[in-house]
Amino acid sequence: MDVWLGRFFCFGLTLVRYIGEALSRDGSTSQPIRKILFLKLIEQGATVLAAGAIRRAVHMVGGKNVYFCVFAENREILDVLNLIPKENVFTLRHDNIFVFVRDVFSFLRRVRHLKIDAVIDMEFFSRASAIIAFLTGARNRVGLHRFTSEVPYRGDLVTHRVQYNPYLHVAVAYELLVEALNSDPKEVPLLKQRSDTFNCYVPVFVPGDEDLRRVREMLQEAFGKEVFDRRIVILNPNTSDMLPIRRWPEARFVELASMILDKFSEVCIVLTGSRSEEKAVAELQRKICSWRVASLAGKTTLRDLLVLYTLGQVLVTNDSG
């Protein structure tokens, strides 16, 4: 739908924008920016990389005036980052097209009621986010524009058109989108600024005492005995079929686990995964066949997983945000 209907809507809304601007003499884009909304629907890992951009926006307008829109299953990472108030996070469900459209309309009503005046589209090539950004009615809209690059057509729906630069770290690219709000939208392309002046902010997770207690109890239950005097190696086989080309073969994980158990008698291995991967990871555990291997797939929240990482010495994982 994004590929085919997205093109149609981007083209149609671009015409609406041109006609609207031709009939209006409102130079409101020069007014001070008071409220900023980020659109980053997918990829929790990318949301972590956006931490520096969020901090830059908070510095510009204050934390209570920064908002974020994300798919419902990806909001937990925003709560962990704790950079903006939880009530400022909008979630969209996409169980089916009807649920998605209903949530989008509800979201747009709330955004217009809040009178948000700046939207930053952090999706690089999605047409849906460009369309949503335009429909918010925000007078300042920042996003990537393809210009002469070989990237998907997204119409001309943003006011601050930023050139995509594949040589920049994503965290820097996100900060540049925020900084573009301080530039003249008539300058094309944006942003004409040295990228090495941006320092990537790396958020650090520090678990609380209750977090540690909960995960240690989880480990004790999984192994059936005390494991705190042992070193922990975490294997994340990531059995999802979303991007199989990124997946290391299961047999390799079995072979690696067997080697670790054979060479390091003081090591326990924890297998992780999502709820949908629980059965596949349990089968992997059965093939390794050792009391020193336990599966927590489907049993951890995102926060639990981060706590587990602070307890482990080594993590071996497929490509996963």
Side-chain angles (χ1 to χ4, degrees):
M1 293 186 69
D2 195 85
V3 171
W4 299 109
L5 284 179
R7 292 175 181 171
F8 170 78
F9 280 113
C10 284
F11 178 76
L13 291 175
T14 296
L15 293 180
V16 170
R17 178 195 174 186
Y18 288 164
I19 294 171
E21 289 182 352
L23 298 176
S24 173
R25 296 182 179 179
D26 182 14
S28 57
T29 54
S30 61
Q31 296 178 11
I33 295 171
R34 296 182 175 87
K35 295 182 179 181
I36 298 175
L37 167 69
F38 288 96
L39 280 176
K40 186 74 190 80
L41 303 178
I42 63 173
E43 298 182 1
Q44 294 191 80
T47 305
V48 174
L49 296 179
I54 297 172
R55 277 165 52 100
R56 185 173 287 269
V58 168
H59 179 74
M60 288 173 61
V61 297
K64 66 178 182 179
N65 294 318
V66 176
Y67 301 81
F68 209 103
C69 181
V70 65
F71 279 148
E73 69 270 22
N74 294 327
R75 79 150 291 162
E76 191 176 1
I77 194 66
L78 284 165
D79 295 337
V80 172
L81 287 171
N82 196 30
L83 293 173
I84 60 176
K86 292 185 178 181
E87 61 270 19
N88 285 15
V89 178
F90 302 104
T91 58
L92 303 178
R93 297 167 297 169
H94 57 105
D95 305 340
N96 57 62
I97 185 62
F98 302 106
V99 169
F100 176 67
V101 170
R102 184 166 65 245
D103 280 7
V104 168
F105 275 103
S106 175
F107 159 72
L108 292 174
R109 283 198 302 270
R110 293 175 65 189
V111 167
R112 287 176 175 266
H113 176 73
L114 288 167
K115 297 181 179 179
I116 290 174
D117 43 27
V119 175
I120 298 176
D121 178 9
M122 306 184 84
E123 300 290 0
F124 284 177
F125 305 118
S126 164
R127 297 182 177 94
S129 61
I131 292 168
I132 293 172
F134 179 78
L135 294 177
T136 63
R139 66 176 183 271
N140 298 282
R141 302 180 300 276
V142 182
L144 295 184
H145 189 76
R146 71 174 184 173
F147 295 104
T148 59
S149 302
E150 294 182 357
V151 295
Y153 168 78
R154 304 206 311 160
D156 191 7
L157 301 178
V158 296
T159 57
H160 295 66
R161 297 182 292 177
V162 178
Q163 172 73 52
Y164 173 61
N165 186 342
Y167 301 102
L168 292 179
H169 191 287
V170 172
V172 174
Y174 287 158
E175 288 205 44
L176 287 171
L177 291 176
V178 179
E179 187 61 29
L181 284 172
N182 295 320
S183 302
D184 184 353
K186 295 179 182 178
E187 280 202 32
V188 178
L190 293 174
L191 182 72
K192 298 180 176 67
Q193 186 169 336
R194 290 180 60 91
S195 61
D196 56 9
T197 60
F198 294 86
N199 296 316
C200 290
Y201 167 69
V202 181
V204 177
F205 175 77
V206 180
D209 292 340
E210 179 61 25
D211 295 324
L212 292 168
R213 184 195 61 78
R214 184 177 62 255
V215 174
R216 282 173 174 154
E217 287 181 355
M218 197 180 297
L219 289 170
Q220 186 171 344
E221 182 180 350
F223 285 97
K225 57 182 69 181
E226 294 282 355
V227 294
F228 308 136
D229 59 341
R230 294 179 176 273
R231 289 190 291 171
I232 296 175
V233 171
I234 305 165
L235 303 184
N236 180 45
N238 195 225
T239 58
S240 168
D241 291 327
M242 185 179 292
L243 286 169
I245 196 171
R246 296 181 176 183
R247 197 169 64 222
W248 207 33
E250 180 187 271
R252 297 297 190 194
F253 277 103
V254 174
E255 182 181 357
L256 174 62
S258 300
M259 290 172 60
I260 292 172
L261 295 172
D262 182 56
K263 293 189 176 185
F264 304 98
S265 60
E266 77 282 10
V267 166
C268 280
I269 294 177
V270 178
L271 305 176
T272 60
S274 65
R275 186 164 297 169
S276 64
E277 298 166 344
E278 190 171 354
K279 289 184 178 179
V281 175
E283 177 63 17
L284 181 65
Q285 178 189 4
R286 187 192 65 78
K287 290 179 180 179
I288 299 171
C289 191
S290 171
W291 74 264
R292 289 194 283 143
V293 178
S295 171
L296 293 185
K299 301 173 184 177
T300 56
T301 64
L302 177 64
R303 190 174 188 89
D304 292 337
L305 200 60
L306 296 176
V307 175
L308 177 63
Y309 292 161
T310 70
L311 297 175
Q313 275 67 49
V314 177
L315 168 66
V316 180
T317 178
N318 284 317
D319 182 2
S320 170

